[in-house]
Amino acid sequence: MGEQAENVTSADSAGRWLARDRDAGRDSADRAVLTGLLADIRDRVLNAARLRPGHDVLDLGAGTGLLTHAAARVVAPAGSVIAVDRSAAALAEIRTNEARIRPVVGDACHLPIADATFDRVVARSVLIYLPDLRAALREVARVLRPEGLLSAFEPVNAGRRHDANLDGVTPDEIEAIDRLRRLSSPSAGPMMAFDVAPFVDAALHAGFSTPTVGETTVTERLSTRAHVDAHLSRRPHPGAASPVDLITRHLGADTTARYVTAWYRALDKAVDRGGITFTNPVVYLTAYLGTRRYGHG
Ligand SMILES: C[S@@+](CC[C@H](N)C(=O)[O-])C[C@H]1O[C@@H](n2cnc3c(N)ncnc32)[C@H](O)[C@@H]1O
């Protein structure tokens, strides 16, 4: 296997992933948990953005509009929300009958938008995908008005861990699988390496005042074989292949069978503690452009 990214992505993979792949194999209880988690994140990002009626807002990497619709309700009737995403299929899901929502297909690193257009930029799980974080935040700074505010949530994937002990899979195989995952889509590498310090550094370099950073941890539990199957068969992000597909394609069906069995065994050993636990650090970052500090005022 060469060190090239798998060519399984297209800009429009996000539409299908958000509408279908993200939920693949989840039962109704799991879906409810995910929906609740997304609603909590949405509310925290928008509250931190201090939206007011009349604000002009950019939802960067808006996808199917999780933040867009809620932001539009706050800024109405005079404000506006421009939802930018490179996936036209995702943007097609956005309800434009709500006042002053405009979907725009575009690249977050080269926004098709004039300088100083917005009072607020909001983003959820988008900056992780961008190959050059400093350039992306310079672009955010360019389209914000003076003293405009950025409010973003991102998963800190560099710190993502699980407590499964995968007996029967060698350290070399684990490393090979990790490498395959990093190459599984053009954005998988930056996404898996995303960390807080470079994020803060990129914001400071783009001209934001010292950001307010809220770090917390989201846990996810695999407590049944169905959960394990779903985890191993699901595309982890737009454009990526599932772990089972990746391993089968590059390391063969025998390795896949041993890998899946190792997860089942790890689950059996984890039953007493409620299953295999993933811990995902996440970060909320808020910062004004310029010198104004984000405090309580
Ligand atoms: C995990 S989804 C999040 C969507 C939305 N923010 C939400 O909260 O549901 C990531 C989104 O980022 C978009 N995206 C990734 N790279 C992008 C880029 N370079 N320019 C614009 N959008 C991008 C994808 O198309 C996808 O819709």
Side-chain angles (χ1 to χ4, degrees), residues 10-15 17-18 22 38 41-42 59-67 84-88 90-91 105-111 122-131 187 237-238:
S10 74
D12 265 344
S13 59
W17 186 81
L18 287 164
R22 181 171 64 184
L38 291 173
I41 295 169
R42 174 199 65 204
D59 182 359
L60 186 74
T64 50
L66 177 76
L67 302 179
V84 170
D85 201 286
R86 65 179 180 174
S87 167
L91 291 178
V105 177
D107 185 342
C109 302
H110 306 280
L111 291 167
V122 295
R124 185 200 74 88
S125 295
V126 174
L127 299 166
I128 50 170
Y129 294 108
L130 306 181
S187 49
H237 60 267

mmCIF file of all heavy atoms in Angstrom, residues 10-15 17-18 22 38 41-42 59-67 84-88 90-91 105-111 122-131 187 237-238, ligand 1:
data_model
loop_
_atom_site.group_PDB
_atom_site.id
_atom_site.type_symbol
_atom_site.label_atom_id
_atom_site.label_comp_id
_atom_site.label_asym_id
_atom_site.label_seq_id
_atom_site.Cartn_x
_atom_site.Cartn_y
_atom_site.Cartn_z
ATOM 1 N N SER A 10 -15.364 12.546 -2.229
ATOM 2 C CA SER A 10 -15.699 13.613 -3.150
ATOM 3 C C SER A 10 -16.312 14.675 -2.266
ATOM 4 O O SER A 10 -16.718 14.395 -1.145
ATOM 5 C CB SER A 10 -16.712 13.138 -4.191
ATOM 6 O OG SER A 10 -17.966 13.027 -3.582
ATOM 7 N N ALA A 11 -16.335 15.903 -2.773
ATOM 8 C CA ALA A 11 -16.869 16.981 -1.935
ATOM 9 C C ALA A 11 -18.270 16.638 -1.466
ATOM 10 O O ALA A 11 -18.677 17.014 -0.378
ATOM 11 C CB ALA A 11 -16.865 18.283 -2.725
ATOM 12 N N ASP A 12 -19.004 15.861 -2.270
ATOM 13 C CA ASP A 12 -20.394 15.617 -1.922
ATOM 14 C C ASP A 12 -20.611 14.433 -0.997
ATOM 15 O O ASP A 12 -21.744 14.106 -0.659
ATOM 16 C CB ASP A 12 -21.239 15.476 -3.190
ATOM 17 C CG ASP A 12 -21.871 16.815 -3.551
ATOM 18 O OD1 ASP A 12 -21.884 17.698 -2.672
ATOM 19 O OD2 ASP A 12 -22.330 16.958 -4.677
ATOM 20 N N SER A 13 -19.536 13.771 -0.589
ATOM 21 C CA SER A 13 -19.725 12.637 0.305
ATOM 22 C C SER A 13 -20.363 13.073 1.626
ATOM 23 O O SER A 13 -21.006 12.278 2.300
ATOM 24 C CB SER A 13 -18.393 11.944 0.569
ATOM 25 O OG SER A 13 -17.495 12.867 1.151
ATOM 26 N N ALA A 14 -20.190 14.344 1.992
ATOM 27 C CA ALA A 14 -20.715 14.810 3.280
ATOM 28 C C ALA A 14 -22.243 14.736 3.331
ATOM 29 O O ALA A 14 -22.807 14.456 4.388
ATOM 30 C CB ALA A 14 -20.269 16.239 3.557
ATOM 31 N N GLY A 15 -22.894 14.990 2.208
ATOM 32 C CA GLY A 15 -24.361 14.956 2.210
ATOM 33 C C GLY A 15 -24.862 13.583 2.600
ATOM 34 O O GLY A 15 -25.712 13.440 3.485
ATOM 35 N N TRP A 17 -23.120 11.211 4.069
ATOM 36 C CA TRP A 17 -22.633 10.805 5.390
ATOM 37 C C TRP A 17 -23.522 11.391 6.485
ATOM 38 O O TRP A 17 -23.922 10.689 7.419
ATOM 39 C CB TRP A 17 -21.182 11.261 5.573
ATOM 40 C CG TRP A 17 -20.574 10.756 6.841
ATOM 41 C CD1 TRP A 17 -20.050 9.513 7.059
ATOM 42 C CD2 TRP A 17 -20.456 11.462 8.075
ATOM 43 N NE1 TRP A 17 -19.615 9.415 8.357
ATOM 44 C CE2 TRP A 17 -19.849 10.591 9.006
ATOM 45 C CE3 TRP A 17 -20.803 12.752 8.494
ATOM 46 C CZ2 TRP A 17 -19.578 10.964 10.312
ATOM 47 C CZ3 TRP A 17 -20.530 13.115 9.810
ATOM 48 C CH2 TRP A 17 -19.926 12.234 10.697
ATOM 49 N N LEU A 18 -23.832 12.692 6.369
ATOM 50 C CA LEU A 18 -24.647 13.334 7.412
ATOM 51 C C LEU A 18 -26.062 12.748 7.438
ATOM 52 O O LEU A 18 -26.653 12.573 8.495
ATOM 53 C CB LEU A 18 -24.719 14.849 7.173
ATOM 54 C CG LEU A 18 -23.432 15.621 7.474
ATOM 55 C CD1 LEU A 18 -23.475 17.007 6.858
ATOM 56 C CD2 LEU A 18 -23.187 15.724 8.974
ATOM 57 N N ARG A 22 -23.562 8.363 9.016
ATOM 58 C CA ARG A 22 -23.249 8.659 10.424
ATOM 59 C C ARG A 22 -24.103 7.831 11.379
ATOM 60 O O ARG A 22 -23.670 7.485 12.476
ATOM 61 C CB ARG A 22 -23.459 10.160 10.686
ATOM 62 C CG ARG A 22 -23.133 10.581 12.101
ATOM 63 C CD ARG A 22 -23.146 12.076 12.279
ATOM 64 N NE ARG A 22 -24.446 12.676 12.077
ATOM 65 C CZ ARG A 22 -24.682 13.988 12.104
ATOM 66 N NH1 ARG A 22 -23.694 14.819 12.310
ATOM 67 N NH2 ARG A 22 -25.894 14.467 11.911
ATOM 68 N N LEU A 38 -25.683 16.415 19.828
ATOM 69 C CA LEU A 38 -25.543 17.453 18.802
ATOM 70 C C LEU A 38 -26.320 18.714 19.186
ATOM 71 O O LEU A 38 -25.855 19.837 18.958
ATOM 72 C CB LEU A 38 -26.028 16.928 17.438
ATOM 73 C CG LEU A 38 -25.154 15.837 16.809
ATOM 74 C CD1 LEU A 38 -25.822 15.268 15.555
ATOM 75 C CD2 LEU A 38 -23.770 16.383 16.477
ATOM 76 N N ILE A 41 -24.305 20.591 21.787
ATOM 77 C CA ILE A 41 -23.157 21.269 21.177
ATOM 78 C C ILE A 41 -23.644 22.509 20.416
ATOM 79 O O ILE A 41 -23.076 23.601 20.542
ATOM 80 C CB ILE A 41 -22.396 20.310 20.231
ATOM 81 C CG1 ILE A 41 -21.772 19.167 21.033
ATOM 82 C CG2 ILE A 41 -21.332 21.067 19.436
ATOM 83 C CD1 ILE A 41 -21.227 18.028 20.174
ATOM 84 N N ARG A 42 -24.704 22.334 19.629
ATOM 85 C CA ARG A 42 -25.265 23.469 18.861
ATOM 86 C C ARG A 42 -25.592 24.628 19.804
ATOM 87 O O ARG A 42 -25.200 25.778 19.550
ATOM 88 C CB ARG A 42 -26.552 22.999 18.155
ATOM 89 C CG ARG A 42 -27.322 24.090 17.435
ATOM 90 C CD ARG A 42 -28.762 23.643 17.174
ATOM 91 N NE ARG A 42 -29.478 23.458 18.439
ATOM 92 C CZ ARG A 42 -30.545 22.675 18.606
ATOM 93 N NH1 ARG A 42 -31.031 21.996 17.604
ATOM 94 N NH2 ARG A 42 -31.143 22.573 19.789
ATOM 95 N N ASP A 59 -22.187 30.329 8.832
ATOM 96 C CA ASP A 59 -22.049 28.970 9.351
ATOM 97 C C ASP A 59 -21.051 28.270 8.439
ATOM 98 O O ASP A 59 -21.360 27.920 7.302
ATOM 99 C CB ASP A 59 -23.411 28.259 9.372
ATOM 100 C CG ASP A 59 -23.315 26.842 9.948
ATOM 101 O OD1 ASP A 59 -22.195 26.420 10.313
ATOM 102 O OD2 ASP A 59 -24.363 26.164 10.027
ATOM 103 N N LEU A 60 -19.836 28.113 8.948
ATOM 104 C CA LEU A 60 -18.729 27.580 8.142
ATOM 105 C C LEU A 60 -18.801 26.053 8.130
ATOM 106 O O LEU A 60 -18.830 25.426 9.184
ATOM 107 C CB LEU A 60 -17.411 28.024 8.769
ATOM 108 C CG LEU A 60 -16.146 27.701 8.001
ATOM 109 C CD1 LEU A 60 -16.001 28.608 6.780
ATOM 110 C CD2 LEU A 60 -14.923 27.865 8.908
ATOM 111 N N GLY A 61 -18.833 25.462 6.938
ATOM 112 C CA GLY A 61 -18.979 24.002 6.844
ATOM 113 C C GLY A 61 -20.316 23.584 7.417
ATOM 114 O O GLY A 61 -20.418 22.715 8.276
ATOM 115 N N ALA A 62 -21.367 24.225 6.928
ATOM 116 C CA ALA A 62 -22.695 24.134 7.551
ATOM 117 C C ALA A 62 -23.335 22.763 7.444
ATOM 118 O O ALA A 62 -24.240 22.436 8.211
ATOM 119 C CB ALA A 62 -23.617 25.174 6.914
ATOM 120 N N GLY A 63 -22.877 21.943 6.481
ATOM 121 C CA GLY A 63 -23.489 20.618 6.316
ATOM 122 C C GLY A 63 -24.969 20.755 6.018
ATOM 123 O O GLY A 63 -25.385 21.512 5.136
ATOM 124 N N THR A 64 -25.783 20.022 6.782
ATOM 125 C CA THR A 64 -27.232 20.057 6.565
ATOM 126 C C THR A 64 -27.915 21.101 7.452
ATOM 127 O O THR A 64 -29.136 21.114 7.563
ATOM 128 C CB THR A 64 -27.838 18.665 6.813
ATOM 129 O OG1 THR A 64 -27.371 18.180 8.081
ATOM 130 C CG2 THR A 64 -27.400 17.685 5.737
ATOM 131 N N GLY A 65 -27.125 21.948 8.116
ATOM 132 C CA GLY A 65 -27.717 23.124 8.752
ATOM 133 C C GLY A 65 -27.989 23.030 10.235
ATOM 134 O O GLY A 65 -28.821 23.780 10.763
ATOM 135 N N LEU A 66 -27.270 22.160 10.940
ATOM 136 C CA LEU A 66 -27.483 22.047 12.395
ATOM 137 C C LEU A 66 -27.446 23.424 13.068
ATOM 138 O O LEU A 66 -28.347 23.787 13.829
ATOM 139 C CB LEU A 66 -26.408 21.135 13.011
ATOM 140 C CG LEU A 66 -26.466 20.979 14.521
ATOM 141 C CD1 LEU A 66 -27.598 20.040 14.929
ATOM 142 C CD2 LEU A 66 -25.143 20.470 15.095
ATOM 143 N N LEU A 67 -26.404 24.200 12.777
ATOM 144 C CA LEU A 67 -26.276 25.526 13.396
ATOM 145 C C LEU A 67 -27.095 26.574 12.642
ATOM 146 O O LEU A 67 -27.634 27.515 13.239
ATOM 147 C CB LEU A 67 -24.806 25.970 13.424
ATOM 148 C CG LEU A 67 -23.802 25.077 14.132
ATOM 149 C CD1 LEU A 67 -22.394 25.675 14.023
ATOM 150 C CD2 LEU A 67 -24.156 24.892 15.603
ATOM 151 N N VAL A 84 -22.085 28.049 4.332
ATOM 152 C CA VAL A 84 -21.094 27.657 3.310
ATOM 153 C C VAL A 84 -20.662 26.215 3.553
ATOM 154 O O VAL A 84 -20.368 25.824 4.688
ATOM 155 C CB VAL A 84 -19.849 28.573 3.366
ATOM 156 C CG1 VAL A 84 -18.725 28.019 2.478
ATOM 157 C CG2 VAL A 84 -20.203 29.981 2.914
ATOM 158 N N ASP A 85 -20.650 25.445 2.494
ATOM 159 C CA ASP A 85 -20.123 24.086 2.567
ATOM 160 C C ASP A 85 -19.655 23.694 1.169
ATOM 161 O O ASP A 85 -20.183 24.186 0.180
ATOM 162 C CB ASP A 85 -21.211 23.110 3.040
ATOM 163 C CG ASP A 85 -20.619 21.830 3.624
ATOM 164 O OD1 ASP A 85 -20.127 20.993 2.844
ATOM 165 O OD2 ASP A 85 -20.663 21.673 4.866
ATOM 166 N N ARG A 86 -18.665 22.800 1.108
ATOM 167 C CA ARG A 86 -18.233 22.375 -0.232
ATOM 168 C C ARG A 86 -19.166 21.306 -0.794
ATOM 169 O O ARG A 86 -19.052 20.946 -1.955
ATOM 170 C CB ARG A 86 -16.796 21.885 -0.207
ATOM 171 C CG ARG A 86 -16.604 20.655 0.600
ATOM 172 C CD ARG A 86 -15.181 20.194 0.571
ATOM 173 N NE ARG A 86 -15.089 18.991 1.374
ATOM 174 C CZ ARG A 86 -14.006 18.252 1.477
ATOM 175 N NH1 ARG A 86 -12.918 18.596 0.836
ATOM 176 N NH2 ARG A 86 -14.008 17.175 2.215
ATOM 177 N N SER A 87 -20.075 20.788 0.049
ATOM 178 C CA SER A 87 -20.999 19.752 -0.408
ATOM 179 C C SER A 87 -22.352 20.347 -0.767
ATOM 180 O O SER A 87 -23.137 20.739 0.107
ATOM 181 C CB SER A 87 -21.184 18.704 0.694
ATOM 182 O OG SER A 87 -22.285 17.885 0.392
ATOM 183 N N ALA A 88 -22.650 20.378 -2.063
ATOM 184 C CA ALA A 88 -23.960 20.870 -2.500
ATOM 185 C C ALA A 88 -25.060 19.939 -2.003
ATOM 186 O O ALA A 88 -26.162 20.384 -1.663
ATOM 187 C CB ALA A 88 -23.992 20.957 -4.028
ATOM 188 N N ALA A 90 -25.191 18.254 0.801
ATOM 189 C CA ALA A 90 -25.516 18.564 2.193
ATOM 190 C C ALA A 90 -26.345 19.843 2.267
ATOM 191 O O ALA A 90 -27.392 19.890 2.926
ATOM 192 C CB ALA A 90 -24.235 18.710 3.017
ATOM 193 N N LEU A 91 -25.904 20.874 1.558
ATOM 194 C CA LEU A 91 -26.617 22.170 1.611
ATOM 195 C C LEU A 91 -28.048 22.055 1.090
ATOM 196 O O LEU A 91 -28.926 22.819 1.505
ATOM 197 C CB LEU A 91 -25.861 23.227 0.801
ATOM 198 C CG LEU A 91 -24.510 23.685 1.374
ATOM 199 C CD1 LEU A 91 -23.853 24.685 0.434
ATOM 200 C CD2 LEU A 91 -24.677 24.301 2.764
ATOM 201 N N VAL A 105 -22.252 27.104 -1.963
ATOM 202 C CA VAL A 105 -21.251 26.050 -2.134
ATOM 203 C C VAL A 105 -19.884 26.713 -2.238
ATOM 204 O O VAL A 105 -19.693 27.622 -3.059
ATOM 205 C CB VAL A 105 -21.537 25.214 -3.404
ATOM 206 C CG1 VAL A 105 -20.444 24.156 -3.603
ATOM 207 C CG2 VAL A 105 -22.906 24.551 -3.309
ATOM 208 N N GLY A 106 -18.958 26.294 -1.387
ATOM 209 C CA GLY A 106 -17.634 26.922 -1.432
ATOM 210 C C GLY A 106 -16.669 26.231 -0.496
ATOM 211 O O GLY A 106 -17.072 25.447 0.368
ATOM 212 N N ASP A 107 -15.406 26.575 -0.672
ATOM 213 C CA ASP A 107 -14.340 25.982 0.129
ATOM 214 C C ASP A 107 -14.036 26.905 1.311
ATOM 215 O O ASP A 107 -13.816 28.110 1.117
ATOM 216 C CB ASP A 107 -13.096 25.824 -0.764
ATOM 217 C CG ASP A 107 -11.956 25.108 -0.054
ATOM 218 O OD1 ASP A 107 -11.970 25.028 1.194
ATOM 219 O OD2 ASP A 107 -11.065 24.629 -0.767
ATOM 220 N N ALA A 108 -13.992 26.327 2.496
ATOM 221 C CA ALA A 108 -13.728 27.114 3.706
ATOM 222 C C ALA A 108 -12.380 27.821 3.635
ATOM 223 O O ALA A 108 -12.182 28.847 4.292
ATOM 224 C CB ALA A 108 -13.766 26.188 4.927
ATOM 225 N N CYS A 109 -11.461 27.297 2.849
ATOM 226 C CA CYS A 109 -10.123 27.905 2.768
ATOM 227 C C CYS A 109 -10.055 29.024 1.736
ATOM 228 O O CYS A 109 -9.078 29.779 1.698
ATOM 229 C CB CYS A 109 -9.085 26.836 2.443
ATOM 230 S SG CYS A 109 -9.064 25.528 3.663
ATOM 231 N N HIS A 110 -11.070 29.129 0.884
ATOM 232 C CA HIS A 110 -11.126 30.186 -0.141
ATOM 233 C C HIS A 110 -12.588 30.622 -0.234
ATOM 234 O O HIS A 110 -13.268 30.296 -1.219
ATOM 235 C CB HIS A 110 -10.639 29.668 -1.509
ATOM 236 C CG HIS A 110 -9.295 29.047 -1.444
ATOM 237 N ND1 HIS A 110 -8.127 29.787 -1.435
ATOM 238 C CD2 HIS A 110 -8.906 27.757 -1.355
ATOM 239 C CE1 HIS A 110 -7.097 28.965 -1.342
ATOM 240 N NE2 HIS A 110 -7.544 27.739 -1.291
ATOM 241 N N LEU A 111 -13.047 31.335 0.760
ATOM 242 C CA LEU A 111 -14.482 31.636 0.828
ATOM 243 C C LEU A 111 -14.887 32.598 -0.293
ATOM 244 O O LEU A 111 -14.225 33.630 -0.497
ATOM 245 C CB LEU A 111 -14.821 32.263 2.189
ATOM 246 C CG LEU A 111 -14.709 31.298 3.381
ATOM 247 C CD1 LEU A 111 -14.744 32.061 4.708
ATOM 248 C CD2 LEU A 111 -15.833 30.261 3.332
ATOM 249 N N VAL A 122 -19.712 30.866 12.989
ATOM 250 C CA VAL A 122 -19.901 29.699 13.854
ATOM 251 C C VAL A 122 -19.508 28.447 13.073
ATOM 252 O O VAL A 122 -19.640 28.409 11.839
ATOM 253 C CB VAL A 122 -21.360 29.587 14.373
ATOM 254 C CG1 VAL A 122 -21.691 30.751 15.285
ATOM 255 C CG2 VAL A 122 -22.371 29.498 13.224
ATOM 256 N N ALA A 123 -19.011 27.437 13.789
ATOM 257 C CA ALA A 123 -18.578 26.209 13.117
ATOM 258 C C ALA A 123 -18.659 25.047 14.094
ATOM 259 O O ALA A 123 -18.369 25.204 15.278
ATOM 260 C CB ALA A 123 -17.139 26.352 12.618
ATOM 261 N N ARG A 124 -19.067 23.908 13.562
ATOM 262 C CA ARG A 124 -19.025 22.667 14.364
ATOM 263 C C ARG A 124 -18.408 21.551 13.528
ATOM 264 O O ARG A 124 -18.897 21.219 12.451
ATOM 265 C CB ARG A 124 -20.425 22.214 14.803
ATOM 266 C CG ARG A 124 -20.352 20.987 15.737
ATOM 267 C CD ARG A 124 -21.625 20.195 15.835
ATOM 268 N NE ARG A 124 -21.902 19.402 14.671
ATOM 269 C CZ ARG A 124 -21.462 18.144 14.469
ATOM 270 N NH1 ARG A 124 -20.737 17.548 15.373
ATOM 271 N NH2 ARG A 124 -21.758 17.495 13.353
ATOM 272 N N SER A 125 -17.321 20.995 14.024
ATOM 273 C CA SER A 125 -16.671 19.829 13.405
ATOM 274 C C SER A 125 -16.363 20.059 11.938
ATOM 275 O O SER A 125 -16.780 19.285 11.069
ATOM 276 C CB SER A 125 -17.547 18.569 13.568
ATOM 277 O OG SER A 125 -17.666 18.218 14.910
ATOM 278 N N VAL A 126 -15.667 21.140 11.663
ATOM 279 C CA VAL A 126 -15.324 21.506 10.287
ATOM 280 C C VAL A 126 -13.830 21.800 10.159
ATOM 281 O O VAL A 126 -13.164 21.311 9.242
ATOM 282 C CB VAL A 126 -16.130 22.754 9.855
ATOM 283 C CG1 VAL A 126 -15.689 23.233 8.491
ATOM 284 C CG2 VAL A 126 -17.615 22.459 9.896
ATOM 285 N N LEU A 127 -13.312 22.569 11.121
ATOM 286 C CA LEU A 127 -11.904 22.977 11.030
ATOM 287 C C LEU A 127 -10.970 21.765 11.078
ATOM 288 O O LEU A 127 -9.898 21.776 10.481
ATOM 289 C CB LEU A 127 -11.576 23.965 12.160
ATOM 290 C CG LEU A 127 -12.410 25.253 12.091
ATOM 291 C CD1 LEU A 127 -12.316 26.037 13.387
ATOM 292 C CD2 LEU A 127 -11.972 26.121 10.911
ATOM 293 N N ILE A 128 -11.421 20.690 11.734
ATOM 294 C CA ILE A 128 -10.605 19.468 11.780
ATOM 295 C C ILE A 128 -10.283 18.933 10.390
ATOM 296 O O ILE A 128 -9.294 18.238 10.216
ATOM 297 C CB ILE A 128 -11.289 18.335 12.596
ATOM 298 C CG1 ILE A 128 -12.740 18.120 12.143
ATOM 299 C CG2 ILE A 128 -11.186 18.573 14.070
ATOM 300 C CD1 ILE A 128 -13.376 16.870 12.744
ATOM 301 N N TYR A 129 -11.155 19.205 9.425
ATOM 302 C CA TYR A 129 -10.972 18.628 8.083
ATOM 303 C C TYR A 129 -10.040 19.441 7.197
ATOM 304 O O TYR A 129 -9.711 19.001 6.096
ATOM 305 C CB TYR A 129 -12.328 18.518 7.367
ATOM 306 C CG TYR A 129 -13.261 17.525 8.014
ATOM 307 C CD1 TYR A 129 -14.381 17.948 8.725
ATOM 308 C CD2 TYR A 129 -13.026 16.159 7.924
ATOM 309 C CE1 TYR A 129 -15.237 17.042 9.335
ATOM 310 C CE2 TYR A 129 -13.870 15.246 8.530
ATOM 311 C CZ TYR A 129 -14.971 15.691 9.230
ATOM 312 O OH TYR A 129 -15.794 14.793 9.833
ATOM 313 N N LEU A 130 -9.654 20.614 7.655
ATOM 314 C CA LEU A 130 -8.965 21.529 6.742
ATOM 315 C C LEU A 130 -7.455 21.316 6.801
ATOM 316 O O LEU A 130 -6.873 21.203 7.884
ATOM 317 C CB LEU A 130 -9.334 22.976 7.080
ATOM 318 C CG LEU A 130 -10.861 23.212 7.102
ATOM 319 C CD1 LEU A 130 -11.171 24.660 7.424
ATOM 320 C CD2 LEU A 130 -11.511 22.801 5.784
ATOM 321 N N PRO A 131 -6.812 21.262 5.642
ATOM 322 C CA PRO A 131 -5.392 20.890 5.603
ATOM 323 C C PRO A 131 -4.480 21.940 6.219
ATOM 324 O O PRO A 131 -3.406 21.626 6.706
ATOM 325 C CB PRO A 131 -5.104 20.731 4.104
ATOM 326 C CG PRO A 131 -6.183 21.489 3.409
ATOM 327 C CD PRO A 131 -7.376 21.464 4.309
ATOM 328 N N SER A 187 -8.808 14.151 4.010
ATOM 329 C CA SER A 187 -8.844 14.966 5.223
ATOM 330 C C SER A 187 -8.621 14.144 6.495
ATOM 331 O O SER A 187 -8.599 14.701 7.595
ATOM 332 C CB SER A 187 -10.172 15.727 5.315
ATOM 333 O OG SER A 187 -11.229 14.854 5.092
ATOM 334 N N HIS A 237 -16.067 9.217 9.002
ATOM 335 C CA HIS A 237 -16.281 10.614 8.603
ATOM 336 C C HIS A 237 -16.501 10.645 7.094
ATOM 337 O O HIS A 237 -16.225 9.649 6.409
ATOM 338 C CB HIS A 237 -15.104 11.512 9.033
ATOM 339 C CG HIS A 237 -13.801 11.110 8.454
ATOM 340 N ND1 HIS A 237 -12.922 10.263 9.084
ATOM 341 C CD2 HIS A 237 -13.223 11.418 7.275
ATOM 342 C CE1 HIS A 237 -11.868 10.070 8.332
ATOM 343 N NE2 HIS A 237 -12.022 10.758 7.224
ATOM 344 N N PRO A 238 -16.992 11.766 6.562
ATOM 345 C CA PRO A 238 -17.311 11.813 5.132
ATOM 346 C C PRO A 238 -16.109 11.434 4.274
ATOM 347 O O PRO A 238 -15.006 11.920 4.493
ATOM 348 C CB PRO A 238 -17.707 13.278 4.898
ATOM 349 C CG PRO A 238 -18.140 13.783 6.224
ATOM 350 C CD PRO A 238 -17.318 13.041 7.245
HETATM 351 C C1 LIG B 1 -19.022 16.713 10.311
HETATM 352 S S1 LIG B 1 -19.749 17.703 9.085
HETATM 353 C C2 LIG B 1 -20.426 19.011 10.117
HETATM 354 C C3 LIG B 1 -21.548 19.733 9.442
HETATM 355 C C4 LIG B 1 -22.246 20.791 10.279
HETATM 356 N N1 LIG B 1 -21.328 21.840 10.713
HETATM 357 C C5 LIG B 1 -22.941 20.180 11.487
HETATM 358 O O1 LIG B 1 -22.686 20.640 12.593
HETATM 359 O O2 LIG B 1 -23.741 19.262 11.314
HETATM 360 C C6 LIG B 1 -18.373 18.505 8.321
HETATM 361 C C7 LIG B 1 -18.757 19.403 7.174
HETATM 362 O O3 LIG B 1 -17.602 20.128 6.762
HETATM 363 C C8 LIG B 1 -17.661 20.266 5.360
HETATM 364 N N2 LIG B 1 -16.326 20.563 4.843
HETATM 365 C C9 LIG B 1 -15.206 19.810 4.974
HETATM 366 N N3 LIG B 1 -14.177 20.413 4.369
HETATM 367 C C10 LIG B 1 -14.648 21.573 3.855
HETATM 368 C C11 LIG B 1 -14.059 22.635 3.119
HETATM 369 N N4 LIG B 1 -12.759 22.625 2.777
HETATM 370 N N5 LIG B 1 -14.838 23.669 2.759
HETATM 371 C C12 LIG B 1 -16.151 23.706 3.085
HETATM 372 N N6 LIG B 1 -16.763 22.725 3.776
HETATM 373 C C13 LIG B 1 -16.019 21.673 4.157
HETATM 374 C C14 LIG B 1 -18.196 18.915 4.896
HETATM 375 O O4 LIG B 1 -18.702 18.992 3.564
HETATM 376 C C15 LIG B 1 -19.254 18.644 5.944
HETATM 377 O O5 LIG B 1 -20.512 19.123 5.579
#
